[in-house]
Every structure is written in C-alpha cells, then in structure tokens.
Amino acid sequence: MSEPRTSPEVCGMGHSMKRKEDPRFIRGKGNYVDDIQLPGMLHMDIVRSPFAHAKIKSIDASKALKIPGVLAVITGETLAKYNLHWMPTLMSDTQMVLPTEKVMYQAQEVAAVIATDRYVAADGVEAVEVDYEPLPVVVDPFKALAPDAPVLRTDKKDKKDNRIFHWQAGDRAATDKAFAESDVVVKQDMYIPRIHVASIETCGCVADFDRVSGKLTVYMTTQAPHAVRTVFALVAGHVGLSEEKIRIISPDIGGGFGGKVPVYPGYVIAVAASVVIGKPVKWVEDRMENLQADSFARDYHIHAELAAKKDGTMTALRIKTLADHGYADAAANPSKFPAGLFSICTGSYALKHAFAEVDGVYTNKPPGGIAYRCSFRVTEAVHCIERITDVLAQELKMDPAELRLKNFIPPEKFPWKSALGWEYDSGNYPAALHKAMEIVGYEALRKEQAEKRARGELMGICISSFTEIVGAGPSKQFDILGLKMFDSCELRIHPTGKALARFGTKSQGQGHETTYAQIIAEELGIPAAQVQVEEGDTDTAPYGLGTYASRSTPTAGAAGSLAARKVREKAKQIAAHLLECSPDDLVWEPGKFSVKGAPSRSKTIQEIALAAYTNHPQGMEAGLEAVSYYDPPNLTFPFGSYIAVVDIDRGTGQVKVRRFVAVDDCGNIINPMIVDGQIHGGLAMGLAPALLEEISYDDEGNITGGSFMDYLLPTAVETPSWETAKTVTPSPHHPFGAKGVGESATVGAPPAIANAVVDALAHLGVRHVEIPITPEKVWRLLKEKGLAE
Amino acid sequence: MIPSAFDYHAPASIPEAIALLSRFGESAKVISGGQSLLPLLKLRLGTAEHLVDIGRIAGLEYVREEGGSLRIGGRTRESVLERSEIVQTRFPILLDTARVIADPLVRNRATVGGNLAHGDPANDHPATMLALRATVVAQGPNGERTIPIDRFFTGLFATALAADEILTEIRIPVPPNRSGGAYMKLERKVGDYATAAAAAQVTLDGAGNFTEVGLALTNAGPVPVRASAAEDVLLGKRADDARIAEAARRAAEVASPTADRRGSVEYKREMARVLAVRALKKAVERAGGR
Ligand SMILES: Cc1cc2nc3c(=O)[nH]c(=O)nc-3n(C[C@H](O)[C@H](O)[C@H](O)COP(=O)(O)OP(=O)(O)OC[C@H]3O[C@@H](n4cnc5c(N)ncnc54)[C@H](O)[C@@H]3O)c2cc1C
C-alpha cells in the first residue's frame, strides 16, 4: 500500500483510524434490540417441536392461558385467518410461520405465547400441550432422493419427490473430453458440514404497531432492513400494511455473518401479535433456539474430480454436489443463483474446462443454506478446489506449492475469463503465495518435517491459495426477489463543513461508521472524525440491499465515493465563483481547490460548504448534497495465500495449529487495522469448521450439537497467533480500487488447515480427512496405520 | 433458559441452613456456586422449590494445612484453590485440576465442594480426590461425620450426602517427601468436560519403587472410578515405563464410558489409557523419580 494521501487529521484511506463505534461498545453503551424498552411492551416466547417430522393432532392452550400474565397463545390456526401462516423465502420457496398440519424439523416453531413478562411467557410455553403423531423422518439427503423416500413437502400439490433444484454451469461435453484426454485424474468425495453462524447476539425484534397512526415500527436484528420492509409490504399488504407505514430499524447488531439476512418466523409472529393486540411485542431467541432453528450454512456433499497432464498442468474440473437445504430452500442467495456463486470453484487456476452441478434437496432439518461469512457458497467452492489440488499434488508426488505456482492464472492474463463464466477483475497469485512462503519459512519447515518424520513425529505444512468473488452485484445478473443489488449513499455537507452520510447497508461489526467516514474524508478532505455515518433506519437511510457477502465496500462504499465526487463537482463550481475564475482553472488536492499556477489562491472544502448556504452563485441551487445509487459493473475478486503449520499428538490425535500465515489481497485498503481485524476474526471462524464446529442429526432427526456445550466455538486458547500480511492489487473497475475483505479468511482458512493435517499424514498414504478434523478422526487414522501411541 | 419459580433462602449460619434443609426435605437444594445447578434449572432438566444458598455463611472458604492434612473449606471457589500458595507449591495435582475446570469466569464462582457434591462423573475433582485419598466432612441435623472419598460417590449424580447435610470440608493427607501428582485431561476445547482424564498421585522410596499410588479416571462411567487393579500393579514396584504402561492398560479396563459427541467408547477407553500413562509419568517425575 502506498502512503496515505491525506494527513492523520483528515484520516482518509490508508490510515489505521481507531473505530468510531468502539467507545460505545467498549463501555457497554451499545444499543441492541434486547436493549429496547417501550412502554407497555409485551413478551413473546415460542413453543417448539420435539419431533423432526410429525403431524400436529391438537394444541391445547387452556392451561397456559390460565397463568396470570399470559395474554394470548398464537397458533398456525390463528395466523391462517389472516393467511399469514406461510411466508415466502428469499429463494422463492415457501416456509411456515406457524404450522397448521405438521412440523418438519426439530425445534420448529409450533405456537407463540404472549405475556406481560418474559418469565411468565416461559411458564406459558411449558404449559401449552401439543399432541403429535410422529411421521417418518428423512435425515440423509441421498436417501431423500431415493424413489421410495417419503415426499416431505406435501403442501406442494404437484411435488412428487424431494428435489428442490438442479443447477449446472460449464460445458459438460468439453469437460468430459478433456478428462478423457488427460494423463491423470484424481477424485475425492468431501462433505462440508452443516454449521451455524452463532453470532454473539441471537435474533430478535420489538414489533410496535401504533393503532392510531397505523404505523408499524420494527426494531430488528437484520442485515438488510430495506429489503425486509419491502418484503413485509408485499406479504402483508392484504392485511393493511403499506410500505410507507412500515419502518424497520436495525440498531446495533452483535454479529450477523449472513444469519441475519433471512426473515424468521419469530419476527412475523411478533409483528402479527403487535398488530392484533396493539401493543409492542418483544421476541429475543435464546442461544439454543438460535443454534437449533435459525438458518444453517454449508451442508454440501461434494464429489470432485480434477484432470491434469503428467507435468502437473491442470486441464479440467468436474464437480457434482448434493445440497441439503432442510425442509425449505431458505438460502439468501441472489435469486438467479440457487447454488450461490459456487461456480467460482475453478479457483485461482488457469483451468480451461470445467463443469459443476448442484442438486438441492429437502430433508427434515431447519431450512436455510445461508452464506455464513461467505459470498454465497464460495467457502464450499474454495474448500473443494483447494482440497482436490492437494490430492492431485499427492498423486503426482509434487510439492503443493509448486503445483499451485504452475497452475495459477498468470498475473498478465487479467481480466481472466473463467471456464464457468466469471471475469476475474485482477490478481497476482504468485506474489501472494511467494510472500506467504517467505514469511512462514517454507523450505526450512519442509526440512523440519522430514527430520520429524524420521523420528516418528507428525507435523504438516500446507497451503490454500483462494480466490473470492464478492460485491454482488451487477444489476444485469443480480437481484433478490427482483430487487437489484445496487447500494447507495446519501451525503450532506453542513454549512460548517461537517458531513452526514447515510448508506443502504448495515454494519454488524464491520466498522462502517469508521471506514465509510474515511472514504468521504479521502474524497473531500473533510476529517473522518467529522463525518457522521448512519445506516439501518429505513425512514432515514437511502434504499439498499444490506450488508452481507462482503458487498458493502464494493457497492455502498463505491456509492459513498461517487456521492462525494458529485459533491466535489458542485464544490468546484462554487469555488470558481468564490475565486472568480473558470472551474477549468482549478486543481483539487484533498480538502481544497486552488487556482492553477497560483496555489495561494484557494478555497477549502469548509469555506466552500459555508458558501453553499450563504453565498452560492446565482442560478445554482443552494446546499451541498448528493445521492448515489451504485450499480457495480462487475464483482471484485479478492484473493490470498494461507499457510498452516500443524502438529499432531500421536497419543490423542489432537491437532495443534502451530503457525498460520495469511497473506491477503483485497485491493486498495481503507483502514489497515480494520482489515487486520476482519482477517483475525475470519481466521478464527475458518479454523472453527476445520477443527471444531458441526451441527449433526441422529436418525430420528434430533439435533446433536444444539448448544454451546457441543457446538464448539474456538477461543483464544484454540487459535494460534495469526501472522498477517498483504499484497495490493487494486480492482480496476471499483472507484477507489478496493475489493471486499470481510470473508476472505473464513473462506480461505479451512482448506489450509485441512490440507496441513493431511500433509502431516500423507506419508502414511492418507489423502483426505473430513472436516471438522476431530481428535478421534485423526486417532482412527493413526491406529489404522499402526502409529497410535 | 428460564427456570421455573423457586423460593430463595440465604441462611447466615450452618445450623440455620441445616434447619431449612430439614424443613423442606427433598424439595430443597443447596446452592453453592450454582455453576452446575443453575444450568439444570434453567434448562428445566431439574426443579427445586427451595434453594438454600450457603454463600452467605462465613468461614466456609479456606485452604490451609492443619493436623497433617490439607483442609479445603466446603465453599472454597476454584479460583481461590488455584491461587493458594500451598496448593501451588505442594499439590501440583490440585493445581493441574483447577486449571482445567471450565474457564476463569466459571472458576470465580464454582466451588470444590459443589464439584464433589454434584456427583457428576464428568467433573474433574472427583478423580483427583480419589487419587489423593481425600475425606469429605459433612454436617447434618445429627452433627458432623466424615466420609472416605471411596464411599462418597454412590451413583450418577448421587452421593453419600443426605438431603439435609452440607459438605463443609475436604481433607487431604499431606503426602510425604518424594511424592508427586498430576492430572491429565483431554478436552475438545477449553472449558469442556473431559473426553477422558486421569489423576495420579504417587510416593516413591529411595530406590525408586512405588510406596503409594492413587490412580483414578474422569468421565469413565456413571461414577468417578478408582483404578485399583492398576494401583496394585505398581505398588512396591519400580517406576519404569513398562510397568506404567501395564498399569495404564489395567486402568483403561475399568473405564466404562458412553459414546457421545466427545467420542466413541473405544476412543474414550483408549484415551483413558494414554492419559493414565502421561499422568503417571508426570507424577513420577514430580516425585523426583526422573
Ligand atoms: C460452562 C461450564 C463449564 C464447566 N466445565 C467444567 C469442567 O470442565 N470440569 C468440572 O469439573 N466442572 C465444570 N463445570 C462445573 C463447575 O465446576 C461446577 O460449578 C461444579 O461442578 C459445581 O460447583 P458449584 O459450587 O457451582 O455447585 P452448585 O452448582 O451450586 O451445586 C451443584 C450440586 O451440588 C450441591 N452442593 C453444592 N455445594 C454443596 C455443599 N456444600 N453441600 C451439599 N451439597 C452441595 C447442590 O445442591 C447441587 O446439587 C462447568 C460449569 C460450567 C457452567
């Protein structure tokens, strides 16, 4: 990164400005949904199904209604009166709000208790009696596609099987031909387990319907408040909710990671309850409800095949995948992409031929398929290509670094058109890998490994050289329920030269209040400290699609920069008026316009702002404001090379990540400290599925791992001291050359660790270990190979 | 995550607490640190109409040496045990144990007495106390009695304590010179209960032979288990690798773990063996044997 252009006082791009939001968080003064207290507020708690698939024979609420303070018990029958018992998902599937006939997964919402007090609501839930008749359960997605499998979605009249969609990309025939002509083919099955975002703050809302004004205000844990408002208007229009009377407020959000994009039944029930009762209703999930019922991520059963020449040149990639979506496709992908951006699976390699297909399947599990800190199935794609690359290296007895360097898309070949149709904007993959190898001391580690192997000790070193695809997206391809995936900024400069900037996105920890202010500071020279950033209130913020999939900087950040440039254009006219010269004679440096050749004749942005309200030129409108709705011309393609070094305990099978070097390239950097923070957090979240986290189900569809007792979030103890570094390859099409970075580490880290573990065992003939790599899995391999202590 | 309603009592003395327990019988529960009891109540896996909080009773938190034994007050928190100088210098096995129980936040509340009284085979102190051959002191309506640790754990979540008894002290004989102990635990992540763990406490003579051995396992069955057969293998014998390996094999034979997310029965039993080897070796090393 070159030196910042602005002074530390202005704090534009490239400065590690301390986060403006931190003083309130550090002092415990954040304002989250659960902090909202409204007069007369009622509380909601939810009765959930103990069965994964069962007919509801009856719901008896009489005992609950006798508890003092319990006001109402809402069931599917109640909602059916208003036709609100089903709702659409973002993928144009349907999902129950509350069931009228049967439940489809364990922990599904069955009824809701509304009470004057949170404790009474819990007692009410305990007292609701539900009579179930268990139905056959489908847990295994492969069995779900068997001809004799029970059809789960009996609500869909013509549905005869459990298939949701078939998606494919690439040229199948050309790929098959390339396989036939290749020297070597490697094949590997791999499962990317079902995991959960497990954000610190669970989901919840306070729904507040004002009977007098007819206005509905919902404080809600959502990453996409504007889209939610429109969806509410569309699905509840028939009961009188109209978009101008709906206000969604996302206050501070304690982590979203994609888990707060969907609309969950709880939100809808709370809104319905508030509308019917006329009082505010609060609903906040507890931890187990959050883990057990909210949208999961991943759950991809992948079969990958890679073809190559003898010398290691990769020639073709073929992938077949089964995607377990639970009982409804409640993913939050762009609508035209049922498998998200899985077609980035050709990764960083100059593959000429590729074919990928994904089949979505219904099972008796919670609905979802959300993009957990990942731009829509990119994590799955990266794991697949980075793992199979190592399998190939092993087959060819080639060093995995050498194989990668041989096959990288050469830096001079960008923009690169991938075999599955993407145009990679920019990249320099060898530079990132070389840098990572240098930092980690690759050669020395390989030597150490050889010595250790001779002594019977186990250590592994390996790589993940990922390419991301983020910043959805260009309106010609990208929409959610028809809403194009632009994003927006509305910028006002006050008379004293301070600014208010509002965006269509919503930070959940990313630091937008700081980074967006730095973007404005960079463009206008107004100190970032004097730029107030606001998001998340649909009554005040411009329309936008929200924050997920690393899209905020590529879209809303770009809008901020373009709005500021519009302001600068007007400022130039005003400056020319003040300096009595032609606008063409002015030169801009951050913070002021000066006359060409006469630098002492200048006007600062603050002077210009004052003039915009006190002394604007005749014929020009007063004020200094601009709006930008930015429709990106392409996605951005951040990349990086990660190297993990692991040691394995031969007695217990425990894997210890000794070192982890992460070299990231996200183009031009707004705030290096925030980027590092994003990488650190993302790496911990990437280590998690590699070694610890998984949500699984037994044969009856009972969740195992539905609390933090068994859903193992890593802590500082399990994570190594991350070593981070950067290369900078700007995006050529983004206004300030940035790419997204929030998800690179989550996406890139799991295969680095998995590859390192396999590398530690490679000399024993081990080719693959499924994640999460638990001590027992490793121990079983050691035992099988006669190496267990 | 909200418990059913209960009444809360905060007696100021042991007799007062015992009187409350006698009055309410089975419908009352002692609450100490609450770190095992409250999760049960919050998940509504258990109920109690009355909670008798012994946290306001003065004089129940101490770690001191007296009359040839280490005495730990019945309501001594793990964090206090961890910081005690005598534990740090002379009872490394207790320090090992306290350090791997939950996390510092939990240890600021959880008590050693509660850890035993809960009768949970997954807790870490039972094995340590078995290895150390501790004695539990209880007070009830009929006064005080002592219970040898070998008779304390009677079943899953069940102990020899009566409903109206309070655990007031734990006594551990101060080991002679050339003694050492260690606790080795395998956990999936920090704060987790043991996949498997082994506690070893040994004394060696001048020739390097075992004169005393205590070996016990955590989470290896419905009750915390002493590996008596393994102890017998070692007693009077030289502390060498082969014998330790043999003892650990015997220890694993008494393990009857159940399969869960922490691992299969086979894995857990093997881990009991591996950790028994490691705990014994460390104990021998600390006893000055290597
Ligand atoms: C997140 C978490 C992780 C944990 N991890 C571990 C771990 O790794 N290892 C481990 O060993 N423990 C672990 N624990 C349990 C913790 O150590 C418990 O606190 C301990 O087991 C019980 O101590 P307590 O003082 O909290 O007892 P309480 O929860 O108050 O009581 C537990 C039981 O003992 C009874 N009781 C308590 N004190 C007395 C007394 N003086 N007389 C009579 N009866 C009494 C109570 O009636 C109750 O039945 C964990 C707990 C949590 C919350």
Side-chain angles (χ1 to χ4, degrees), chain A residues 250-269:
Chain A
S250 260
D252 283 329
I253 301 288
F257 310 112
K260 288 172 181 162
V261 175
V263 172
Y264 293 113
Y267 299 134
V268 179
I269 309 168

mmCIF file of all heavy atoms in Angstrom, chain A residues 250-269:
data_model
loop_
_atom_site.group_PDB
_atom_site.id
_atom_site.type_symbol
_atom_site.label_atom_id
_atom_site.label_comp_id
_atom_site.label_asym_id
_atom_site.label_seq_id
_atom_site.Cartn_x
_atom_site.Cartn_y
_atom_site.Cartn_z
ATOM 1 N N SER A 250 -32.680 -1.292 12.254
ATOM 2 C CA SER A 250 -31.623 -2.200 12.716
ATOM 3 C C SER A 250 -30.763 -1.399 13.661
ATOM 4 O O SER A 250 -29.968 -0.581 13.217
ATOM 5 C CB SER A 250 -30.738 -2.591 11.533
ATOM 6 O OG SER A 250 -31.067 -3.824 11.057
ATOM 7 N N PRO A 251 -30.874 -1.604 14.950
ATOM 8 C CA PRO A 251 -29.989 -0.859 15.846
ATOM 9 C C PRO A 251 -28.594 -1.509 15.818
ATOM 10 O O PRO A 251 -28.250 -2.126 14.810
ATOM 11 C CB PRO A 251 -30.681 -1.007 17.206
ATOM 12 C CG PRO A 251 -31.503 -2.246 17.099
ATOM 13 C CD PRO A 251 -31.750 -2.516 15.647
ATOM 14 N N ASP A 252 -27.817 -1.395 16.866
ATOM 15 C CA ASP A 252 -26.533 -2.096 16.854
ATOM 16 C C ASP A 252 -26.795 -3.594 16.713
ATOM 17 O O ASP A 252 -27.724 -4.140 17.318
ATOM 18 C CB ASP A 252 -25.767 -1.821 18.158
ATOM 19 C CG ASP A 252 -25.139 -0.431 18.147
ATOM 20 O OD1 ASP A 252 -24.776 0.042 17.053
ATOM 21 O OD2 ASP A 252 -25.022 0.178 19.226
ATOM 22 N N ILE A 253 -25.959 -4.233 15.909
ATOM 23 C CA ILE A 253 -26.140 -5.667 15.645
ATOM 24 C C ILE A 253 -24.889 -6.392 16.130
ATOM 25 O O ILE A 253 -23.777 -6.034 15.752
ATOM 26 C CB ILE A 253 -26.324 -5.930 14.139
ATOM 27 C CG1 ILE A 253 -27.535 -5.164 13.590
ATOM 28 C CG2 ILE A 253 -26.467 -7.422 13.861
ATOM 29 C CD1 ILE A 253 -28.861 -5.674 14.003
ATOM 30 N N GLY A 254 -25.093 -7.405 16.953
ATOM 31 C CA GLY A 254 -23.966 -8.137 17.526
ATOM 32 C C GLY A 254 -23.554 -9.314 16.680
ATOM 33 O O GLY A 254 -23.591 -10.458 17.103
ATOM 34 N N GLY A 255 -23.153 -9.041 15.475
ATOM 35 C CA GLY A 255 -22.718 -10.110 14.567
ATOM 36 C C GLY A 255 -23.878 -10.600 13.729
ATOM 37 O O GLY A 255 -24.957 -10.880 14.242
ATOM 38 N N GLY A 256 -23.644 -10.689 12.424
ATOM 39 C CA GLY A 256 -24.695 -11.168 11.520
ATOM 40 C C GLY A 256 -24.210 -12.381 10.749
ATOM 41 O O GLY A 256 -24.795 -13.450 10.823
ATOM 42 N N PHE A 257 -23.132 -12.201 10.006
ATOM 43 C CA PHE A 257 -22.480 -13.290 9.262
ATOM 44 C C PHE A 257 -23.425 -14.017 8.305
ATOM 45 O O PHE A 257 -23.238 -15.203 8.040
ATOM 46 C CB PHE A 257 -21.846 -14.294 10.231
ATOM 47 C CG PHE A 257 -20.990 -13.664 11.288
ATOM 48 C CD1 PHE A 257 -21.379 -13.675 12.625
ATOM 49 C CD2 PHE A 257 -19.807 -13.031 10.952
ATOM 50 C CE1 PHE A 257 -20.607 -13.073 13.598
ATOM 51 C CE2 PHE A 257 -19.025 -12.433 11.926
ATOM 52 C CZ PHE A 257 -19.420 -12.447 13.254
ATOM 53 N N GLY A 258 -24.465 -13.339 7.850
ATOM 54 C CA GLY A 258 -25.416 -13.982 6.942
ATOM 55 C C GLY A 258 -26.614 -14.557 7.662
ATOM 56 O O GLY A 258 -27.666 -14.775 7.078
ATOM 57 N N GLY A 259 -26.475 -14.807 8.946
ATOM 58 C CA GLY A 259 -27.572 -15.395 9.728
ATOM 59 C C GLY A 259 -28.702 -14.417 10.000
ATOM 60 O O GLY A 259 -29.785 -14.813 10.423
ATOM 61 N N LYS A 260 -28.452 -13.137 9.753
ATOM 62 C CA LYS A 260 -29.499 -12.147 9.989
ATOM 63 C C LYS A 260 -29.993 -11.534 8.688
ATOM 64 O O LYS A 260 -30.481 -10.420 8.660
ATOM 65 C CB LYS A 260 -29.005 -11.083 10.981
ATOM 66 C CG LYS A 260 -28.904 -11.665 12.396
ATOM 67 C CD LYS A 260 -28.253 -10.754 13.398
ATOM 68 C CE LYS A 260 -28.189 -11.452 14.768
ATOM 69 N NZ LYS A 260 -27.229 -10.828 15.676
ATOM 70 N N VAL A 261 -29.836 -12.292 7.606
ATOM 71 C CA VAL A 261 -30.433 -11.873 6.343
ATOM 72 C C VAL A 261 -31.863 -12.413 6.225
ATOM 73 O O VAL A 261 -32.772 -11.667 5.891
ATOM 74 C CB VAL A 261 -29.565 -12.309 5.141
ATOM 75 C CG1 VAL A 261 -30.271 -11.981 3.835
ATOM 76 C CG2 VAL A 261 -28.204 -11.620 5.188
ATOM 77 N N PRO A 262 -32.107 -13.679 6.538
ATOM 78 C CA PRO A 262 -33.471 -14.203 6.344
ATOM 79 C C PRO A 262 -34.482 -13.558 7.296
ATOM 80 O O PRO A 262 -34.123 -12.999 8.326
ATOM 81 C CB PRO A 262 -33.333 -15.700 6.668
ATOM 82 C CG PRO A 262 -31.889 -15.998 6.639
ATOM 83 C CD PRO A 262 -31.194 -14.729 7.014
ATOM 84 N N VAL A 263 -35.750 -13.666 6.916
ATOM 85 C CA VAL A 263 -36.845 -13.285 7.807
ATOM 86 C C VAL A 263 -37.287 -14.570 8.500
ATOM 87 O O VAL A 263 -37.688 -15.532 7.853
ATOM 88 C CB VAL A 263 -38.013 -12.678 6.999
ATOM 89 C CG1 VAL A 263 -39.228 -12.473 7.895
ATOM 90 C CG2 VAL A 263 -37.573 -11.355 6.387
ATOM 91 N N TYR A 264 -37.149 -14.597 9.821
ATOM 92 C CA TYR A 264 -37.512 -15.800 10.566
ATOM 93 C C TYR A 264 -38.963 -15.735 11.029
ATOM 94 O O TYR A 264 -39.515 -14.638 11.228
ATOM 95 C CB TYR A 264 -36.588 -15.975 11.776
ATOM 96 C CG TYR A 264 -35.165 -16.277 11.378
ATOM 97 C CD1 TYR A 264 -34.136 -15.365 11.610
ATOM 98 C CD2 TYR A 264 -34.854 -17.466 10.727
ATOM 99 C CE1 TYR A 264 -32.835 -15.633 11.209
ATOM 100 C CE2 TYR A 264 -33.560 -17.735 10.328
ATOM 101 C CZ TYR A 264 -32.550 -16.837 10.570
ATOM 102 O OH TYR A 264 -31.272 -17.101 10.162
ATOM 103 N N PRO A 265 -39.593 -16.902 11.228
ATOM 104 C CA PRO A 265 -40.981 -16.917 11.680
ATOM 105 C C PRO A 265 -41.211 -16.046 12.919
ATOM 106 O O PRO A 265 -42.228 -15.357 13.001
ATOM 107 C CB PRO A 265 -41.232 -18.397 11.978
ATOM 108 C CG PRO A 265 -40.321 -19.119 11.048
ATOM 109 C CD PRO A 265 -39.085 -18.264 10.958
ATOM 110 N N GLY A 266 -40.265 -16.062 13.855
ATOM 111 C CA GLY A 266 -40.440 -15.296 15.091
ATOM 112 C C GLY A 266 -40.732 -13.821 14.841
ATOM 113 O O GLY A 266 -41.563 -13.212 15.521
ATOM 114 N N TYR A 267 -40.042 -13.234 13.847
ATOM 115 C CA TYR A 267 -40.275 -11.813 13.539
ATOM 116 C C TYR A 267 -41.733 -11.609 13.115
ATOM 117 O O TYR A 267 -42.395 -10.665 13.528
ATOM 118 C CB TYR A 267 -39.407 -11.346 12.361
ATOM 119 C CG TYR A 267 -37.904 -11.415 12.513
ATOM 120 C CD1 TYR A 267 -37.115 -11.938 11.483
ATOM 121 C CD2 TYR A 267 -37.257 -10.896 13.627
ATOM 122 C CE1 TYR A 267 -35.730 -11.950 11.560
ATOM 123 C CE2 TYR A 267 -35.861 -10.907 13.711
ATOM 124 C CZ TYR A 267 -35.101 -11.444 12.678
ATOM 125 O OH TYR A 267 -33.736 -11.449 12.739
ATOM 126 N N VAL A 268 -42.177 -12.509 12.222
ATOM 127 C CA VAL A 268 -43.514 -12.346 11.646
ATOM 128 C C VAL A 268 -44.583 -12.533 12.729
ATOM 129 O O VAL A 268 -45.565 -11.784 12.791
ATOM 130 C CB VAL A 268 -43.716 -13.346 10.483
ATOM 131 C CG1 VAL A 268 -45.102 -13.207 9.884
ATOM 132 C CG2 VAL A 268 -42.646 -13.128 9.418
ATOM 133 N N ILE A 269 -44.356 -13.515 13.605
ATOM 134 C CA ILE A 269 -45.352 -13.744 14.670
ATOM 135 C C ILE A 269 -45.404 -12.525 15.588
ATOM 136 O O ILE A 269 -46.489 -12.071 15.983
ATOM 137 C CB ILE A 269 -45.015 -15.006 15.499
ATOM 138 C CG1 ILE A 269 -44.778 -16.225 14.591
ATOM 139 C CG2 ILE A 269 -46.138 -15.321 16.477
ATOM 140 C CD1 ILE A 269 -44.165 -17.428 15.297
#
